[in-house]
Each structure stands twice: as structure tokens, then as C-alpha cells.
Amino acid sequence: MTFPTPPGGRGQDGGSAPAGQSLSAWAAGLPRQQAPVRPAPAEWAPPPPAPARRRAGVIDRLDAPDFPLADYARASADGADDDRTGRMPGIGDGPPPPPLPESTTPGAPLPPRPRSTWSRMQRRTDAGRHASPDEEPTVAHPAVPPAGGDVRAATAHDDDTEGHPLLDEQTGGLDVIVTDDRARRSRRSRRAEHHDEHADEHADDSADDSADDHDHPADDHGDSARPRRRRRPVAVVLSLVVLAALVAGIVFGGKALIDLVNPADEDYTGQGTGSVQIRIAEGDTLSDIGSTLVEADVIASVGPFVDAAETRPAATGIQPGVYGMRQQMSGAAALDLLLDPATRLFSRVTIPEGFTVQRVLTRLSEETDTPIEELTAVAADPVAVGLPPYANGLLEGWLFPATYDFEPETTPQQVLQMMVARSVQTLDELGVPEADRLRVVTEASLVQAEAASPEDMAMVAQVLDNRLAIGMKLQLDTTVNYASGKSGITTTAEDRANPSPYNTYYSAGLPPGAITNPGEEALRAVLNPTPGEWLYFVVVNPDTGETRFAVTDAEHAANVALFQQWLRENPS
């Protein structure tokens, strides 16, 4: 490209500008229509491309040493066509230069204005046409040069840029916009790489992941979606099988545990067969009794027995002991048998007050079918029967009179032990000190043998205390008969002469031990005698037990006469 030679100055072809006028001022006064475009000379070469890190812009071109500033001065004067201010945006803030007069004729025509970003953004006047011959359709070009670095090769297809080497070499301020298709392909590439990294781990799920990517593309959400994991069918089936097995184990295991802790309420039918003995201990509840019956195969389970007992109030009164039952009975039938007194297997023996040891052993032998020899042998051993030390080794007086229930397997030793223990228990309840127990039991045995009613017992006990207090012999016929081994209510002179310590006619004071086994009333009478001065008493009517008490000998002799009259009336 060559410039016209300005008058009075030198241009690039050796011309010169008029004196006193710069080249740029002169060029600015040329009218636009007088600046034809001429082909650029062959020796002209484009400036080197801008550095790779920075794109060439308008400011860069203005700073270039070979950039024709006169072209911009020319462009600024063209304000009537495009309403521009005549100055580059962002270049200076001063007022635009005045327009050149139309009569000014340059010495040579100027080249056309270079195309820039602003000329490409100029508004069109109508559809399909441009406002001026210089405006041409804008075509986007790659912002980055091809591999060879030749910008012209990348834009050779664009006919609009031919003849403008500066535009062929520089892209100006236009940035290339990457389309959504390209961004979509980039995201799909990254997702494909992520899928390849986990291909071995999710080989069975690859088909489902592809279908999921197709149905839900990443660009629909604006971000790459993480592929969802799906359970393998085999794993799901195995999980269901394990869960079903676990539930079944809980159900059947729980049922087995319940049956073990609380067996099913099975029940036999009928009255049962055979015979078996079961023992009910002291304090057993209905459930305890039912368990004992189950162990002996009397009933099948506890439930039916307890259910039947809950409807029978008498069931709470089942006594301890041994019962004769049958095996494989219904719960209700077993309950009926337990409530029958005849079912209980025991020997009930009643020992009256005032029995001697010999008479007690005889009664026990008769009632329990125990040989008398076995009972006598055990009675001779104070330690075996549990006799307390203060009893002085004497069993008489320590076999407490009461009613006893002895079970079939009870031994003679156990029988006597039970009776001795009952005597000790009664003395404990009465609060008798151990040091006084032998005396109290001995005196109570005398009261028990001489009186029949509690009132007479208390008066007899007072007579004994009164005689003992003055040192008078007791002179009781019951002690004479005990010493002689006889029974009855009378004695002979020979009997009364027996030197036995138990003969109170012969010996003063109390005998060495009891002559009978006193009951609780006789013990209470000794502990609480009726106050009085009586020294004598006599039973005037043995049939009725009437007893007369006297203070003097004359009163006593009158009472004895009444007793003799009864004897005459009852010679037998």
C-alpha cells in the first residue's frame, strides 16, 4: 500500500507535506470520497503477530509503530454515516477534532479504514444489506491459530477478509464462543473416563449406567452426574434368603424357648391308673404341688391343675403330707383326689395329757404300726431323741401331749424327736427359764395327775407350793402308784411304804422328775397358781372330778369321808 505524497513533505515514496503542517493534519483534511483504495505493493509485509498470551486489540494496534494513524483520523470524520463521535472509545477524553472541509483534496488517495470490532458490531439498516460498502457480514473464526501458526491459513475461506493483511493476521477484540455441543462433548468425555476407571468394579452394571446416561444426560442438569449403583440380582436374592432364614429362626427358636420355660398345657384324660406316693412339703404353693405331680407323672402339665384349683377355694387348704395318687390323671381328677382326706397317707396319733412314757410308746406303736421294741430302744437314748440337758436324762414329762400326723416313712427316732421338740417349744412360748424348767415340768406332772379342770389345777398348784413352803410332805397317791408301777386312785399301806424317791409319802419334796407328760394347762397352773391357804385337797367324786380343798385337818377329814362314800357306792 502507498500513500499520496503530501505537498511540502515527504511520505513513504519520497513526497513531503506543506510547510508548517504535519502529515496527520494534512491527511485528516482529505475528503472520504477522494480516498480510493489501491492495491498494496508487493514489498509490503505484515507486522509480526502478537504474543501467544495476549490477543491483539485496538490499543495494541494503536501502539504499533507501523500502524497508520491517519486512517483513524479519517474514520473519525465519518460521523454523518454512523452517528459515531469521531473518536475511538476509550482513547482520550478530549473533544473530537473538527471535520475537514470538503474542498480539501489530498495529494494521493488513502487506503480504506481497517476493520475492527466496533465496525463488526455496527447496526444494520435493513435485512440482508449493510449500512455502507465497508460493512460486511460478521463471521466467527477460531481464536487460536492452527498448528502451523498461520492465521491467514485459518481464515482463507473467508472472502470478506481478503485484501486486508492486518485483519488476516490479527483477530482484534472478538472472542470465540465455545458452543454447548463442544461443552457437552467435554463433559461426556470426562464421564467416560470416570466410567472406564470403575469398569472392573461395576462390570455387571455397565449396561444400566449407559441407559441411565442416555435417559438423564449430564447437560440436562448442568453438571456431570455420578453413576448410580444398582444391586446385583444374586445379592438381592441372597439377602432375601438370609432374612427369611433369620425370621424363621427367631419364630421357631422363640417357640421352642417358650415351650421350654412354660411347657404347653397338655392334659391327660380320665382318673389314671396304678398308684404312686407324692409328698407335699410345708409352704408349697399350687404351682409347686403341680410341679411335684408332673415329676411323678400324675398329671401332664401344671396349667390344667392350677386352672382347676383356681375354681376350688378348698384347694388352698391342702395339707402337707404324703398322698396316695394314680398316674396319668387329668388335672381336675388329681385335684379331687388331693382334697379327699382318705388320700393322705399318714398316721394321726393323739397323745392325751397325763400319759406316762410307757403309755405314750404303746399308743404310738398301735397307731403307726411300729414295733414297741423299736420305740422303747430309742426312748432309752436321751441324745437320740433330742432331750435337752436340763431334763436330767429323764424322758418322762418331755413327750408333749398333742395330736400328731406321722407319715409312713417316719422313723421311731423322728417320732420321739418331734414330741420332745414340741415340749421345748411350749416352754419357750411360756417364757420358762431353763433353770426352772425341770421343776416346773415335774410339778405340772403332779398337777396334771391330781386335777381335771384348769381351775382345780391352779388350786392344786397352790396347795403344793404351800406344803413345800412349810416342809410338809406332799403325800400324793399318784406318786405312790407311779413308784409302784400301778394305776388307780387308791393305794395300800404297803405301797405307801415304798422307799422310791417318787413316793411322796416316803420322800419329802418334789420327786426327781415328772410322773406324767403334762399339757399346757398344767404348766400354766404351776406358773400362775390360785392364791390360798389350802394345805389339803381330795377328789370326792372321781366320775365327775369334783375336788374339795381344806385348810385344817378337820375340814380335810370331812372331805375324805365323802370320797369313801363314793368308793362304797362304786366298789369296782
Side-chain angles (χ1 to χ4, degrees), residues 128 151 153 168 177-178 189 199 251 300 326 370 387 396 451 459 489 499 515:
V151 178
D168 293 341
I177 301 174
V178 181
S189 299
V251 172
R326 293 184 291 271
T370 303
L387 197 65
E396 193 74 72
M459 296 177 69
I489 58 175
I515 61 173

Side-chain angles (χ1 to χ4, degrees), residues 417-470:
Q417 286 177 348
M418 291 174 61
M419 300 180 73
V420 172
R422 181 66 181 275
S423 295
V424 175
Q425 177 184 354
T426 302
L427 292 173
D428 292 339
E429 293 174 353
L430 294 176
V432 180
E434 292 186 358
D436 297 337
R437 288 186 178 184
L438 178 59
R439 180 188 65 81
V440 171
V441 170
T442 302
E443 187 175 351
S445 66
L446 300 178
V447 172
Q448 187 74 62
E450 296 291 340
S453 65
E455 294 78 8
D456 290 345
M457 289 180 181
M459 296 177 69
V460 169
Q462 184 63 44
V463 171
L464 297 179
D465 290 343
N466 291 339
R467 286 196 173 198
L468 292 172
I470 62 178

Side-chain angles (χ1 to χ4, degrees), residues 225-238:
R226 181 179 179 182
R228 294 184 301 175
R229 295 184 180 179
R230 299 197 178 187
R231 295 184 180 272
R232 300 179 182 179
V234 177
V236 174
V237 173
L238 290 178

Side-chain angles (χ1 to χ4, degrees), residues 157-434:
H157 66 283
D158 191 358
D159 295 337
D160 295 336
T161 61
E162 292 182 358
H164 303 283
L166 182 60
L167 295 178
D168 293 341
E169 295 174 356
Q170 299 179 359
T171 61
L174 179 63
D175 292 335
V176 179
I177 301 174
V178 181
T179 62
D180 291 342
D181 293 337
R182 188 171 180 183
R184 187 183 302 111
R185 288 195 297 271
S186 176
R187 287 192 292 269
R188 287 181 177 176
S189 299
R190 289 195 298 271
R191 187 166 63 253
E193 292 175 1
H194 178 75
H195 177 71
D196 292 339
E197 293 176 359
H198 299 278
D200 294 338
E201 181 180 358
H202 307 286
D204 294 337
D205 301 332
S206 61
D208 297 335
D209 292 339
S210 299
D212 184 66
D213 291 341
H214 178 72
D215 296 337
H216 306 282
D219 52 14
D220 292 343
H221 302 282
D223 195 2
S224 59
R226 181 179 179 182
R228 294 184 301 175
R229 295 184 180 179
R230 299 197 178 187
R231 295 184 180 272
R232 300 179 182 179
V234 177
V236 174
V237 173
L238 290 178
S239 299
L240 293 177
V241 171
V242 172
L243 181 60
L246 181 60
V247 172
I250 292 175
V251 172
F252 291 103
K255 184 177 183 301
L257 182 59
I258 292 175
D259 292 341
L260 181 62
V261 176
N262 186 18
D265 292 339
E266 300 178 358
D267 195 11
Y268 294 127
T269 58
Q271 299 297 320
T273 59
S275 63
V276 63
Q277 294 183 359
I278 61 107
R279 175 184 291 275
I280 296 177
E282 185 76 26
D284 280 356
T285 63
L286 291 174
S287 297
D288 296 334
I289 296 173
S291 298
T292 302
L293 296 175
V294 170
E295 292 177 359
D297 196 27
V298 175
I299 58 176
S301 61
V302 178
F305 174 78
V306 174
D307 293 341
E310 289 178 350
T311 62
R312 303 281 297 275
T316 58
I318 298 177
Q319 298 297 317
V322 178
Y323 293 80
M325 306 291 291
R326 293 184 291 271
Q327 291 182 321
Q328 298 185 357
M329 304 177 66
S330 66
L335 178 63
D336 292 339
L337 201 59
L338 287 175
L339 294 177
D340 186 358
T343 306
R344 185 179 179 188
L345 303 177
F346 62 89
S347 297
R348 176 167 291 178
V349 180
T350 299
I351 305 297
E353 294 85 350
F355 268 30
T356 63
V357 170
Q358 188 61 39
R359 295 183 67 181
V360 170
L361 296 179
T362 303
R363 176 68 63 89
L364 291 174
S365 177
E366 295 172 353
E367 299 292 338
T368 62
D369 296 331
T370 303
I372 186 63
E373 294 80 11
E374 295 180 7
L375 291 170
T376 302
V378 172
D381 187 355
V383 178
V385 298
L387 197 65
Y390 48 78
N392 201 19
L394 301 174
L395 186 58
E396 193 74 72
W398 299 95
L399 298 178
F400 193 79
T403 300
Y404 297 92
D405 291 336
F406 301 111
E407 298 173 359
E409 64 271 19
T410 304
T411 63
Q413 181 178 356
Q414 293 174 339
V415 170
L416 298 181
Q417 286 177 348
M418 291 174 61
M419 300 180 73
V420 172
R422 181 66 181 275
S423 295
V424 175
Q425 177 184 354
T426 302
L427 292 173
D428 292 339
E429 293 174 353
L430 294 176
V432 180
E434 292 186 358

